[in-house]
Amino acid sequence: MQVFYGDPMRLTRFTDLALRVLMRLAIEESELPTTRDVAAAMEVPYTHTAKVVARLQHLGLVEARRGRGGGLTLTSAGRAASVGGVVRELEGAGDVVDCDGTSPCPLRGACLLRGALRRAQEAFFAALDPLTVSDLVAAPTGPLLLGISGRAPTVAEGP
């Protein structure tokens, strides 16, 4: 059995960045930040952010408009998207362990670990299913994100 070293329930950097981009866009109502703006605000390389934005566009979660007055917006589907669904889509359906890799595990036909790890992985995703992107920016997170972005929260957004 080939085990992937590191924390098996840890999100990839790509998924982490995608969730942070979605959260960032969920608090933007009047301004349309560009990919470059979002990358700078999150202190992440522009090229990484551009790849994430392209994937989120492909999934229908983000809309990008070019030119003057353009920028990034979160679609209504993006606002209502299940965090578990987004994470599943971005992380893929791969197993926590690679039993069929270049050196297949001799236990793969009778191993109880593989099934247990698959159930644990699904439980991890299922715990995220009830959360939407909008839920992620509810108080106190949304107002804090606004403060980090350099914008003062409005009365409706909180202190």
Side-chain angles (χ1 to χ4, degrees):
M1 165 180 9
Q2 180 178 354
V3 177
F4 295 121
Y5 293 99
D7 187 350
M9 296 298 158
R10 185 178 185 144
L11 300 179
T12 61
R13 287 187 180 123
F14 188 90
T15 300
D16 173 50
L17 181 55
L19 291 172
R20 291 190 294 141
V21 167
L22 291 171
M23 290 171 67
R24 177 80 183 186
L25 294 178
I27 62 165
E28 297 291 348
E29 293 185 7
S30 57
E31 297 178 22
L32 296 179
T34 64
T35 302
R36 211 169 282 287
D37 295 336
V38 171
M42 293 192 308
E43 299 178 2
V44 177
Y46 167 77
T47 54
H48 295 356
T49 308
K51 289 176 187 176
V52 165
V53 167
R55 182 69 192 275
L56 294 174
Q57 276 185 274
H58 178 75
L59 295 174
L61 306 175
V62 170
E63 183 179 311
R65 289 183 232 147
R66 294 184 183 271
R68 193 171 192 161
L72 303 174
T73 56
L74 189 62
T75 65
S76 57
R79 204 167 285 287
S82 160
V83 175
V86 171
V87 171
R88 269 187 197 88
E89 186 65 39
L90 297 176
E91 290 290 313
D95 285 330
V96 174
V97 293
D98 183 11
C99 300
D100 301 316
T102 54
S103 298
C105 178
L107 300 176
R108 70 179 173 237
C111 182
L112 299 177
L113 178 62
R114 185 178 192 179
L117 289 172
R118 186 176 296 124
R119 288 188 300 277
Q121 182 181 33
E122 185 51 41
F124 175 76
F125 293 140
L128 299 173
D129 282 340
L131 292 169
T132 65
V133 171
S134 289
D135 292 336
L136 295 179
V137 295
T141 306
L144 181 60
L145 278 170
L146 287 171
I148 292 170
S149 70
R151 288 180 31 218
T154 65
V155 174
E157 294 165 336

